[in-house]
Structures are given as C-alpha cells and as structure tokens.
Amino acid sequence: MIKIDISNVWGSVEFADLMAIEKEVAAAHTTLADGSGAGKEYLGWMNLPTREVTPEITRIQAAAEKIRANSDVFVVIGIGGSYLGSRAAIELLQGPNRNMGKGKGDPQIFYAGNSLSTRHWNELCRLLDEKDFSIAIISKSGTTTEPAVATRALRWMLERKYGTDGARERIYAITDPVKGALRQMANEEGWQTFSIPPSVGGRYSVLSAVGLLPMAVAGMDIQAVLSGSMDAKESYDLRSYENPVWLYAAIRNLMCRHGKHIELFESFEPGFQMFGKWWQQLFGESEGKDGKGLFPVTAEFTGDLHSLGQMIQQGRRNLFETMLRFDPPEQVCTVGSDVKNLDGLNYLAGKQLDFVEENAFLGTVAAHVDGGVPVITVDCGTLDEKKIGELFYFLELSCGISSYILGVNPFNQPGVELYKRNMFHLLGKPGYENM
C-alpha cells in the first residue's frame, strides 16, 4: 500500500482540522462508491481493474506483438487523456530517453495529434522517414481537431507507403464502441478496433485500451498494471484515515481552505515529467470549475530546484508540495574518486548515488518546511508495472473523492469547450458562423 507522510504539514493544518473534515471525506467516498453524485454516468473507470485475462486484454496483447514485429515506430494519435496516461507510464518506468536505440521488435513510440505546431509535424515526418510504422488513433468522437488533422496526414502517409490494404493492417482505432466518426471510419475501412467504454471519460481512461495498447507495445506487462490497480481498488476502499487516499484528499482540501491554492506535484525521477502532466490534467480538469480547485503544477527534482527552488523557498506562501518517492533500483551507481579532487567531491567517493539523492530529498524537505511550505510525502515503494497500476487508481480515486469534498462534478469539463467554439468560428467551421 502507498504510504502518506503528513508530518510536514502541521502548522499549516491542525489535527483538529483533520478530525473536523473526516465526515466530509467519508460522505464523498460514499457518494463516489454508491454512484449517487454528479457525473455518476462516468464511473466506468472503477471497473477497469482486473486480474482476469479478458478477451479484450488478449486482443490488445496480440495487436501489440504484431506492431512490435512489423514496426520500427508506433505513433499514438491523441490529445489529453488519450495519450498522457500511456506516455506517463512508459516514461516513468522506462525513462524519458526510452526511444534511443529502439526499433523493430521494440519500437520507438512517438506522439501526434496533441498540438497544431507545424514544427512538431515536420519533426515527426523526419523521424518517420524510411521507417516502418503503425499508428493508433485514440478518440471517442474522431472529430477533435488536433487528432483528426494528424489522422488524415498519417493515414495518407501509410497508404502511400504500403498501399490501401497494407495500411489497413497498420491502423488501430480506439474509440466509442458503437458511434462517432472514428467508429464509422474504422468500420468502413476495416481497421482493427478497441473500445473506450462510454462510461469512462478521457482523463480516467488509462487502464482501458487507451493506455494499455501503447504500454504493451512498449514491452510493459499490462496484466501486472491491471493487477496493481486491482490491489488498489481492494485496499483503498478502507473507510478511515488509515486509507492514504483519505489522507491525501483531506489534506489537499484543508490546504485550499487555508489559502494554499497551488499544489506542486514532484518527484526526483526525470521520467516523472509526463506522469506529472497526466496528474495535472486529472486534477485540473476535474476540480477547476465553479471558481474552485487547486492549481496543479508539476516539477522534477533536483533539476527544477535550480529554476523553481528560489520561488518555492521565498516566494508567496500560497502553495504546498506533494512529493512522490520510490525505492532505489537494484542496480546501483557509486561515486568515484579523483586524485586531484579539483571538484571537491572526494568526500562522496565510494558513496552510492541513491545515498546522495536521499539526502538531497531530506535537505529539500527540511528547507521548504522551514520556509513555510507544507510537504506531503507519498512513499510508493518499488517502481514497477504493478506500482504504476496502483498509482493510477490511487490518484483517480483521490481525485474523485477530493472533487466531491470540494463540491464539484469530477467528471465534466464545460470550460474547455469555449476555446474550441471560438477557434471553430475563426476557422469558418460550418455551424459556427454567427457566434
């Protein structure tokens, strides 16, 4: 079970505050579990964890093996929850540089449809030049602008390279089971498809085919991911503060009530950056409505200590930190010695790098707490596929409970539609002329 250390929040939050909010946490958990709250039609994510090898999982694994065998590159087309979850898992487990040295048998994985940048598109074209590649199109509707633009271009590239029949074998659609433009297109073209359950929203979809197919193509054990999420589902149904989900949801809401309106989500792992972005969307899109919600920000230490450290230490006292920690890997690295010692580092000679990092962590927490910044520490234990599955479910459950404590619907996002309407009007999309 994930462990939450709240010893460094006292002073900003009192024990009496924690006791006073307990009934709200219990009520929010009951509302979520009973399916009686706002957005109850989007609770399908709670049923995604499983230890069973389902027919859908078998199909995902077979498709992944086919892609690994015939492709140097696998391109995931999607935006927001359609790509952040799988990228978060892959890079957290395998590192941000996992594409280096990869190819057929263990493909490079690139992402498209998450921007409208011509430079990004030109770079992707260069990366695909003379490479065998396959694509997954991830969209419930098939009409979201960014993924739809990328789909048109990459489909044309595949058909030009392999012909219509050959391209058909390299296109995978992950979409609504029965409706939408992408479902219609996939049915007409004969592409292999996987379904996004209608009751699962995009930012909660990582444990469906949306996240599992790219993870499997990356060589991850997706059955272990799902098993870890099932462990979480069983463990985190506990209805007391012995449940770390309760502690996290309660403390972050208390922080908000005490004027700490920014949550800085951090880790000492460079591969954490995309996981932070997944968390950022999950909580930002779930809680940021009705003039409420914590503003979610992510950082990677120690690197960002040299850019954000000054602001954290002595800037406005309107933030708190949530820091993820993982056990050291089995393969260790030792600091070497140098006869001249011009860098003054011989005092660390023979010490393991994990020892240095641990003390950097302890020193950082002590400094930030002394500077008036509360720190929640989330001890995750071993970093592997099971832990990633547990983390996903832990944070999704925390988000649902926290949102209901806040008094908002965790599963809608009405605000994101405004920029789209404005953009469609400016682009001249039919039906948006008279805005």
Side-chain angles (χ1 to χ4, degrees):
M1 181 181 284
I2 289 168
K3 298 177 182 177
I4 300 285
D5 180 357
I6 60 171
S7 62
N8 291 305
V9 306
W10 305 124
S12 296
V13 172
E14 303 299 331
F15 182 73
D17 298 327
L18 190 60
M19 292 299 99
I21 202 176
E22 185 175 13
K23 289 183 179 179
E24 294 180 57
V25 180
H29 196 164
T30 297
T31 297
L32 186 66
D34 292 353
S36 57
K40 60 187 178 182
E41 64 272 25
Y42 290 106
L43 294 177
W45 58 272
M46 300 181 76
N47 299 318
L48 294 175
T50 181
R51 292 193 181 90
E52 181 186 356
V53 182
T54 65
E56 180 82 345
I57 293 170
T58 300
R59 291 178 61 241
I60 290 170
Q61 291 171 328
E65 286 306 310
K66 180 180 175 182
I67 293 164
R68 286 171 63 84
N70 71 6
S71 299
D72 302 301
V73 175
F74 180 54
V75 183
V76 179
I77 302 173
I79 196 166
S82 295
Y83 90 101
L84 282 173
S86 63
R87 188 170 183 181
I90 292 165
E91 293 190 8
L92 184 58
L93 188 63
Q94 300 181 355
N97 301 312
R98 63 90 51 200
N99 279 340
M100 294 180 65
K102 302 293 187 182
K104 204 163 291 182
D106 191 5
Q108 296 177 313
I109 300 178
F110 297 127
Y111 303 88
N114 51 61
S115 83
L116 294 169
S117 167
T118 303
R119 291 179 181 86
H120 180 261
W121 174 252
N122 289 339
E123 178 194 33
L124 180 61
C125 290
R126 289 193 296 270
L127 291 168
L128 293 177
D129 188 39
E130 297 183 0
K131 299 284 185 68
D132 286 318
F133 70 98
S134 299
I135 67 174
I137 311 160
I138 306 175
S139 174
K140 269 193 173 181
S141 66
T143 59
T144 304
T145 305
E146 295 92 336
V149 169
T151 295
R152 278 197 178 192
L154 286 166
R155 177 186 176 185
W156 176 80
M157 289 174 64
L158 283 168
E159 290 179 347
R160 186 179 66 170
K161 187 177 181 70
Y162 301 105
T164 302
D165 291 339
R168 184 180 297 118
E169 296 299 313
R170 293 176 175 271
I171 300 176
Y172 301 82
I174 304 175
T175 188
D176 188 275
V178 295
K179 63 183 181 180
L182 181 55
R183 170 57 63 178
Q184 180 181 351
M185 192 184 306
N187 290 344
E188 291 178 359
E189 299 297 332
W191 301 337
Q192 185 171 354
T193 63
F194 300 95
S195 294
I196 307 171
S199 59
V200 176
R203 60 186 178 274
Y204 291 86
S205 66
V206 64
L207 297 173
S208 72
V210 170
L212 296 177
L213 179 60
M215 287 186 223
V217 172
M220 289 179 58
D221 182 349
I222 60 172
Q223 196 60 54
V225 172
L226 290 168
S227 178
S229 68
M230 190 65 190
D231 289 345
K233 181 177 180 179
E234 294 170 350
S235 299
Y236 300 135
D237 194 43
L238 186 64
R239 307 301 174 94
S240 76
Y241 279 135
E242 293 182 9
N243 184 347
V245 169
W246 274 40
L247 275 182
Y248 180 47
I251 293 296
R252 61 193 311 278
N253 274 273
L254 288 171
M255 288 292 177
C256 189
R257 295 177 187 184
H258 287 74
K260 305 292 187 181
H261 295 141
I262 299 172
E263 181 175 9
L264 187 57
F265 192 62
E266 315 150 338
S267 174
F268 276 69
E269 293 293 335
F272 166 83
Q273 291 184 19
M274 295 308 301
F275 194 92
K277 286 187 177 293
W278 173 82
W279 166 88
Q280 192 173 48
Q281 183 194 5
L282 177 68
F283 279 86
E285 207 167 63
S286 296
E287 291 189 330
K289 55 202 72 162
D290 301 336
K292 301 177 181 179
L294 290 160
F295 191 85
V297 184
T298 71
E300 176 262 309
F301 291 164
T302 58
D304 286 332
L305 287 174
H306 294 259
S307 56
L308 293 176
Q310 176 62 40
M311 175 59 75
I312 297 169
Q313 194 69 42
Q314 295 183 326
R316 297 186 66 174
R317 305 294 78 189
N318 59 353
L319 63 85
F320 69 96
E321 299 173 79
T322 299
M323 192 174 293
L324 262 63
R325 297 288 289 154
F326 299 96
D327 290 345
E330 292 183 2
Q331 184 176 352
V332 300
C333 177
T334 304
V335 179
S337 61
D338 185 90
V339 173
K340 293 184 178 181
N341 193 32
L342 295 177
D343 55 10
L345 208 62
N346 273 356
Y347 77 99
L348 291 177
K351 299 285 198 305
Q352 291 183 1
L353 190 57
D354 293 320
F355 170 80
V356 181
E357 184 197 279
E358 177 67 16
N359 283 279
F361 157 69
L362 294 172
T364 298
V365 171
H368 290 183
V369 172
D370 286 347
V373 180
V375 180
I376 303 169
T377 304
V378 182
D379 186 354
C380 300
T382 302
L383 177 55
D384 56 17
E385 283 97 334
K386 286 193 71 173
K387 184 60 60 178
I388 283 174
E390 181 184 0
L391 256 176
F392 279 136
Y393 195 86
F394 169 85
L395 289 168
E396 289 173 341
L397 184 61
S398 298
C399 185
I401 293 174
S402 184
S403 297
Y404 281 139
I405 295 171
L406 195 62
V408 299
N409 180 347
F411 308 112
N412 68 349
Q413 54 279 342
V416 300
E417 300 304 318
L418 181 58
Y419 97 87
K420 295 180 183 179
R421 293 197 298 270
N422 290 341
M423 178 179 68
F424 294 154
H425 171 69
L426 293 168
L427 290 172
K429 184 174 180 177
Y432 291 84
E433 298 90 349
N434 299 318
M435 285 186 60

